[in-house]
Amino acid sequence: MENSLLRYIWNHTRPQQVWVLFIVLLSMVPYFAAFDLPKQIINGPIQGQGFETPDTTASFMAFDFVMPLTDWHINFDGIPLDRMSMLMALSGVFLLLVVINGLFKFYINTYKGRLGERLLRRIRFELVDRVLRFPPSALKQLRGAEVSTMVKDEVEPFGGFTGDAFVQPAMLGGQAIAALFFIFLQNVWLGMIAGVMVAIQVGIIPKMRRRLIELGRQRQITARHLAGKVGEIVDGIDTIHAYDTSNYERADIAHRLGQIYRIRYDLYRWKFLVKFVNNFLSQLTPFLFYSIGGYFALRGSLDVGQLVAVINAYKDLPGPLKELIDWDQARQDVQVKYEQLLEQFDPGVLIEPALQVVTPVAPANPGGALSAQNVTIADGSGARVVENVTVRIDKGETVAIIDNSGSGAEALAEAFGRLVWPVSGRITLGDVDILELPESVTGRRISYVSADSYFFHGSVKENLLYGLKHAPTTTVSYSGRDAINRRWEMHEAQMAANPHLDLNADWIDRRSTSILRGFSDDLKQSMLRALDVVQLTPDVMELALHSFLEPEDNPGLAERIVQMRHALRQALQEEGLANIVAHFDPAAYNPEASVGENLMFAATRTSTFGNDDITESDYVFEVLKVAKLFDMLYGMGLTIAEDLVEIFADLPPEHPFYQQLERITAADIAFYQQILQRRQARAGQADTEEDRRAVVRLSLHYVEPRYRLGVLTQEIMDAVVSARDLFYLNLPAELRNRIERYDPHRYMAAATLRENVLFGKLSNRVADAPAKIRQVAGRLMHENGLFESFIALGLDFDVGNSGRRLTLAQRHKLSLARALVRRSDFYILNRALPGLDKRVQEEIVTSVIDFLREQDNDPSIVWVLSNTSLSRLFHRVVVFDRGSVVADGAFEALDKESDIYKSLVA
């Protein structure tokens, strides 16, 4: 990148800048003509110069043009007009010049805006492109939040300045010179006054604004560091809560905000001081014009028309002059910001663009082994973690690498995956250094997995298939308006030096899937097998069961789920398990559901704003009162409250009994105890509406089989069922959008997949009801061919920022499955399964080895083990100690001969 922003802009927008400069120069002609026209109107038709008698006429638009250095000329005698006609004609010309000047400004400003946005797009892309080409050592020093702030916000002024970089000084300078020149033509003394005042402004104001530029630079740096700190807080929120350091972080943020406040306050003071001085100098000149020009007019050496023309011309001078000074400040400001960007985005060494060129078809396989030849690797502090290590991984080998002391095994694995660059020596693929190979080779032939692999915001499926998105494999055919928009997008991308890659194209490389049989479902089978191998299928199924489906998006699947619902009910009856589910019946009370759920008899959606509990709404209490249920539930709630207070009042909050209460905490028990005490203290007086509602709310959450207090009578149950239609009679719009009434013959979008299949409540009286229903439902799911459809729903689950909606174990498994979906020659697995149960680790490691052994390309497996005892599953074991290889051989040989190895696996 250029060191000067102006040079960068000129190099990338030279033809456009020349064109708009030409338009600016052309616009000076009508702009200058508009200055002289008021004088002609005042001195001519208004004051009567040239119209001494009523019959006198003057020529309108007369001119005589002589071509320089030739005798050729053009003359026009004009159109003879009387005084009134001349006034109207000149006024019309003035209006025409206003329109022409406005159109020139419209075109110039629009063109500048487009030019600026193109360069802004170019520079943002170039910055991100440079980040993608940073060496690993430089990337480790970057803070993501700061980089994103620089790309998004700090380059924003560059776009506005690009259009003004050369056009603004030319246009404003031309306007100022034109106005100043016109003033000189009217009166030399007034011209000299204007010139001196302009010189003072140009000399003083920019010097005062240097302080503003320095303060702006400090504000930008502190704001960038604040963004980085906020990003750290979000990323490390678990650690903050775990170590009780939230107040320390508050102090840090308050300190940073204090620094920003001080800088911004100084900035405001200087900004308005400069504005005051600039405005004062601008208003001082009209004072001199009125006093000195008026003096000349009274003496007769300056006519009134000239004075008005001078004042009118000067009226257009401070604006361009102020904007010209602003332009100079903006130029210095963006140059400072540009230099700061260069410091952040110029690490000294970048990966060559040729190594990241788009390659739809995988290059020819260079073949050969993956080797480390006399490799030395240093950590971030410069300490050597691997020193002079030589290791060769041949085709088809399964190699376990373990560490006795140090982190040499992890560092070597990172070097194999190109995540670190050796200080000396080299990593080769065949006979070629992998740092010299394009990523289309290393990124496809080598699959690297570690415990801290990153997950992008998106679905499980998008992250699972991320390793197959190398280049567009097919093109999208556009037609009609879409084709026009696509051509426009490609043109704009070309003008901004962006690639012409279509994000809407199919980027999945189906020729690189782990299962490659030539069938159309190879990709799907690769995903399913990978999920099975890492034992992630049950987790994905659980995500599916908790997901929501819009029936209009997939009506066929919704209908099949309703059919499975009926099949499940029938199967439970046939197997004598009908008692484990209390199915929803529009005409009956469901004993396993709460009173509130029975009243609404509906699935409910989560609210974006406000309280999610619909039973808290005023409408529910209105319905209860109309249905004569409020007093019944109030009496029932008092009994519940008395029983709960009697049972739990003396128990500590951590007592296991509280686990039996789904919605009630120790604080709630104390709250209801206070209500009972207040009620007893004011015997004979009516309870407050707030207390009555709190007690009724307790009844609405009551489930008889769970609490077993014997307070739910048949009368109350019948009244609740009878009130269902009343509940929906005048349902408010804000609740109507959140409630979907149960219908046994329709899929409910407001309910999860599990709720739609079950269409009822599991019995609290049957201890193993979940296991039994899971067994029957699982069998029906496979019999009805719904397994893959359900898995697809689970794969659509949004993993959240960095995959945080998944558990740690799920993230580790998904990271491993992402590598197994694709076909590679070398699988580098760097402590890929830390923290998992040893039995689970062994099962997954065994399954991975067996799965990859089935591949016809005979891949190599290099696994840095956190559980060293699993090394017996590999043909070869490499042992590191303090950065050096101390043992390397077959498992059987090391188990007999290597003391250090035997001490590790003992």
Side-chain angles (χ1 to χ4, degrees):
M1 297 176 70
E2 302 286 350
N3 292 327
S4 168
L5 180 60
L6 275 177
R7 188 178 299 113
Y8 181 90
I9 294 172
W10 179 253
N11 289 342
H12 295 298
T13 62
R14 184 184 299 110
Q16 293 84 3
Q17 296 285 359
V18 171
W19 167 252
V20 75
L21 282 172
F22 169 74
I23 298 298
V24 168
L25 292 176
L26 189 62
S27 70
M28 290 295 105
V29 176
Y31 182 78
F32 185 82
F35 282 151
D36 191 56
L37 202 55
K39 185 185 78 170
Q40 295 183 32
I41 294 173
I42 294 173
N43 291 343
I46 294 178
Q47 291 191 338
Q49 287 184 5
F51 297 95
E52 285 73 15
T53 64
D55 298 332
T56 305
T57 61
S59 296
F60 175 69
M61 299 293 290
F63 67 88
D64 187 5
F65 177 75
V66 179
M67 181 68 71
L69 304 177
T70 66
D71 295 332
W72 184 76
H73 71 281
I74 303 175
N75 68 321
F76 178 61
D77 295 334
I79 303 171
L81 298 175
D82 59 18
R83 186 173 181 178
M84 183 60 68
S85 299
M86 181 62 76
L87 175 63
M88 294 296 103
L90 290 176
S91 298
V93 171
F94 181 81
L95 179 61
L96 178 63
L97 289 176
V98 170
V99 173
I100 292 174
N101 285 325
L103 290 175
F104 267 115
K105 286 184 178 180
F106 173 76
Y107 178 82
I108 291 170
N109 288 330
T110 303
Y111 194 90
K112 288 195 305 179
R114 188 177 187 181
L115 191 62
E117 289 303 315
R118 281 176 177 169
L119 189 116
L120 184 60
R121 178 177 176 177
R122 172 192 288 268
I123 197 169
R124 278 176 169 159
F125 178 82
E126 187 169 348
L127 292 177
V128 176
D129 176 74
R130 292 175 76 86
V131 170
L132 292 171
R133 296 193 290 119
F134 269 28
S137 57
L139 284 171
K140 292 178 180 178
Q141 300 175 18
L142 292 180
R143 301 169 79 177
E146 291 187 14
V147 172
S148 62
T149 298
M150 286 186 280
V151 173
K152 175 181 174 290
D153 297 326
E154 295 187 18
V155 302
E156 186 73 27
F158 298 171
F161 181 74
T162 297
D164 296 335
F166 302 99
V167 175
Q168 195 79 339
M171 184 169 65
L172 296 175
Q175 291 175 355
I177 292 173
L180 198 59
F181 179 68
F182 180 80
I183 294 172
F184 268 102
L185 290 180
Q186 307 308 311
N187 186 277
V188 175
W189 291 106
L190 295 180
M192 291 181 63
I193 291 172
V196 170
M197 298 306 298
V198 167
I200 293 174
Q201 283 182 273
V202 172
I204 293 178
I205 301 303
K207 291 183 179 179
M208 294 183 67
R209 285 184 166 174
R210 290 176 184 171
R211 174 63 179 166
L212 289 177
I213 295 172
E214 174 59 24
L215 290 172
R217 186 186 69 82
Q218 295 177 15
R219 179 184 62 179
Q220 179 179 348
I221 293 175
T222 53
R224 183 194 306 161
H225 291 166
L226 175 66
K229 184 60 183 178
V230 172
E232 282 187 345
I233 290 175
V234 174
D235 292 338
I237 192 68
D238 295 338
T239 303
I240 292 172
H241 290 321
Y243 289 96
D244 185 27
T245 57
S246 58
N247 289 312
Y248 174 78
E249 297 301 337
R250 290 187 179 98
D252 191 349
I253 291 296
H255 174 70
R256 294 174 188 268
L257 292 175
Q259 289 181 313
I260 295 176
Y261 168 78
R262 178 180 56 80
I263 294 171
R264 291 177 69 91
Y265 181 64
D266 288 347
L267 192 63
Y268 282 126
R269 288 195 302 173
W270 270 94
K271 176 181 177 180
F272 289 109
L273 176 62
V274 172
K275 189 174 184 179
F276 165 76
V277 174
N278 193 32
N279 289 339
F280 174 76
L281 294 176
S282 298
Q283 297 302 319
L284 182 62
T285 306
F287 161 75
L288 297 175
F289 281 171
Y290 284 124
S291 57
I292 298 174
Y295 172 76
F296 286 141
L298 291 175
R299 293 193 58 184
S301 57
L302 182 68
D303 62 53
V304 176
Q306 287 178 310
L307 180 58
V308 172
V310 166
I311 295 174
N312 185 59
Y314 182 77
K315 205 165 53 174
D316 288 334
L317 181 59
L321 189 62
K322 177 181 178 300
E323 291 183 26
L324 196 59
I325 296 174
D326 290 341
W327 172 88
D328 183 64
Q329 180 188 355
R331 178 190 63 80
Q332 298 181 53
D333 187 39
V334 295
Q335 178 60 32
V336 170
K337 293 179 178 178
Y338 181 75
E339 290 172 356
Q340 291 176 355
L341 283 178
L342 288 182
E343 293 176 4
Q344 296 293 327
F345 287 88
D346 188 11
V349 178
L350 289 172
I351 297 174
E352 290 296 327
L355 299 182
Q356 295 182 344
V357 67
V358 179
T359 310
V361 179
N365 191 337
L370 180 63
S371 304
Q373 301 176 5
N374 297 319
V375 166
T376 298
I377 302 171
D379 61 14
S381 66
R384 296 186 173 185
V385 293
V386 173
E387 192 161 7
N388 296 327
V389 166
T390 298
V391 174
R392 176 186 174 92
I393 310 297
D394 289 314
K395 187 177 180 63
E397 278 193 300
T398 59
V399 182
I401 305 181
I402 56 179
D403 253 318
N404 179 46
S405 176
S407 57
E410 294 181 53
L412 181 63
E414 290 176 348
F416 281 149
R418 282 199 1 178
L419 271 67
V420 298
W421 291 0
V423 174
S424 63
R426 61 178 191 156
I427 306 293
T428 61
L429 189 57
D431 296 326
V432 185
D433 192 324
I434 63 170
L435 299 182
E436 299 173 1
L437 286 171
E439 289 188 1
S440 57
V441 174
T442 58
R444 301 182 194 187
R445 290 200 60 203
I446 301 173
S447 289
Y448 176 85
V449 180
S450 69
D452 56 355
S453 295
Y454 189 83
F455 295 102
F456 296 90
H457 200 295
S459 68
V460 173
K461 181 179 179 180
E462 289 171 339
N463 280 278
L464 185 62
L465 299 180
Y466 188 77
L468 294 173
K469 298 179 180 180
H470 311 301
T473 57
T474 60
T475 58
V476 180
S477 178
Y478 296 94
S479 61
R481 182 171 295 276
D482 291 338
I484 297 173
N485 291 337
R486 178 57 186 163
R487 284 196 295 270
W488 181 83
E489 290 173 0
M490 292 181 64
H491 170 72
E492 289 300 321
Q494 181 179 4
M495 296 301 294
N498 284 192
H500 296 172
L501 302 175
D502 187 358
L503 190 62
N504 296 321
D506 186 4
W507 284 72
I508 305 298
D509 186 3
R510 288 170 170 78
R511 295 164 297 187
S512 300
T513 56
S514 54
I515 296 178
L516 198 59
R517 303 169 302 174
F519 298 146
S520 58
D521 67 340
D522 284 349
L523 178 64
K524 180 176 66 176
Q525 294 302 321
S526 297
M527 289 192 294
L528 295 177
R529 282 295 309 278
L531 295 176
D532 284 340
V533 167
V534 301
Q535 299 184 8
L536 195 58
T537 301
D539 298 88
V540 175
M541 182 60 71
E542 196 65 26
L543 296 177
L545 293 175
H546 286 87
S547 64
F548 294 86
L549 171 68
E550 293 294 336
E552 56 269 20
D553 294 341
N554 196 335
L557 178 59
E559 183 179 354
R560 294 172 66 194
I561 292 173
V562 173
Q563 293 173 357
M564 180 179 171
R565 172 194 303 170
H566 299 309
L568 176 62
R569 187 167 187 172
Q570 182 179 353
L572 291 175
Q573 291 176 345
E574 293 174 352
E575 298 182 24
L577 298 175
N579 63 321
I580 70 173
V581 177
H583 296 281
F584 293 124
D585 187 341
Y589 188 93
N590 191 314
E592 301 294 342
S594 69
V595 174
E597 289 173 325
N598 270 282
L599 174 65
M600 291 183 290
F601 195 69
T604 58
R605 291 183 174 90
T606 302
S607 173
T608 305
F609 304 101
N611 198 325
D612 289 336
D613 191 353
I614 294 179
T615 58
E616 300 284 346
S617 66
D618 293 336
Y619 178 74
V620 171
F621 294 104
E622 293 174 7
V623 171
L624 293 177
K625 290 178 180 179
V626 173
K628 309 300 183 183
L629 267 168
F630 190 89
D631 291 337
M632 297 171 66
L633 294 181
Y634 176 66
M636 171 181 164
L638 286 175
T639 304
I640 297 173
E642 291 170 354
D643 291 344
L644 290 178
V645 169
E646 181 180 353
I647 297 172
F648 291 93
D650 298 327
L651 297 180
E654 66 275 7
H655 197 280
F657 279 6
Y658 279 105
Q659 298 178 5
Q660 307 298 321
L661 304 179
E662 183 179 3
R663 289 176 173 266
I664 300 175
T665 64
D668 294 327
I669 297 296
F671 173 72
Y672 286 111
Q673 186 175 22
Q674 292 173 4
I675 290 179
L676 294 175
Q677 291 172 350
R678 285 197 300 268
R679 188 170 182 274
Q680 190 174 21
R682 56 178 182 231
Q685 300 181 13
D687 295 335
T688 64
E689 180 66 16
E690 182 180 355
D691 286 352
R692 287 172 62 83
R693 286 195 175 191
V695 173
V696 170
R697 196 177 299 118
L698 190 59
S699 296
L700 290 173
H701 295 152
Y702 181 78
V703 181
E704 177 63 41
R706 178 180 300 144
Y707 299 114
R708 302 180 183 180
L709 299 178
V711 296
L712 184 61
T713 65
Q714 187 64 42
E715 180 185 4
I716 295 176
M717 290 190 288
D718 293 341
V720 169
V721 174
S722 299
R724 286 175 180 171
D725 291 335
L726 180 62
F727 180 81
Y728 288 95
L729 189 61
N730 298 305
L731 194 63
E734 63 269 15
L735 295 181
R736 196 178 304 124
N737 296 329
R738 295 181 53 196
I739 294 177
E740 186 175 2
R741 195 167 186 175
Y742 287 136
D743 184 343
H745 304 292
R746 186 169 55 87
Y747 188 93
M748 300 169 296
T752 64
L753 176 62
R754 183 197 300 273
E755 293 167 339
N756 269 282
V757 172
L758 193 61
F759 199 70
K761 293 283 186 176
L762 286 178
S763 174
N764 286 279
R765 298 181 178 90
V766 182
D768 56 349
K772 290 180 178 179
I773 194 70
R774 191 179 298 115
Q775 181 180 2
V776 177
R779 187 184 74 246
L780 289 175
M781 176 182 64
H782 285 90
E783 290 176 356
N784 289 273
L786 287 169
F787 173 76
E788 293 183 1
S789 298
F790 285 6
I791 288 293
L793 288 176
L795 290 174
D796 287 335
F797 179 79
D798 191 337
V799 302
N801 182 34
S802 303
R804 289 190 173 185
R805 295 187 68 194
L806 302 177
T807 66
L808 184 61
Q810 288 172 340
R811 292 201 294 270
H812 291 157
K813 292 178 181 180
L814 181 58
S815 176
L816 182 55
R818 179 165 59 185
L820 299 180
V821 164
R822 59 189 226 146
R823 175 178 296 255
S824 297
D825 294 327
F826 296 92
Y827 290 87
I828 312 299
L829 310 177
N830 189 2
R831 300 192 189 276
L833 301 171
L836 268 67
D837 178 79
K838 288 187 175 182
R839 179 186 58 79
V840 175
Q841 283 192 38
E842 182 170 354
E843 291 175 355
I844 294 178
V845 170
T846 303
S847 298
V848 169
I849 294 175
D850 292 342
F851 174 71
L852 294 179
R853 288 278 68 83
E854 297 173 5
Q855 308 298 322
D856 55 13
N857 62 325
D858 194 20
S860 303
I861 305 171
V862 179
W863 204 314
V864 179
L865 294 172
S866 50
N867 181 4
T868 56
S869 64
L870 299 181
S871 58
R872 68 182 185 279
L873 303 176
F874 295 81
H875 297 150
R876 176 182 166 197
V877 181
V878 178
V879 182
F880 272 81
D881 186 39
R882 296 183 178 85
S884 299
V885 175
V886 294
D888 183 357
F891 162 74
E892 293 80 5
L894 294 183
D895 192 42
K896 294 179 181 179
E897 303 170 2
S898 175
D899 293 334
I900 191 169
Y901 172 74
K902 287 189 286 187
S903 67
L904 286 173
V905 298

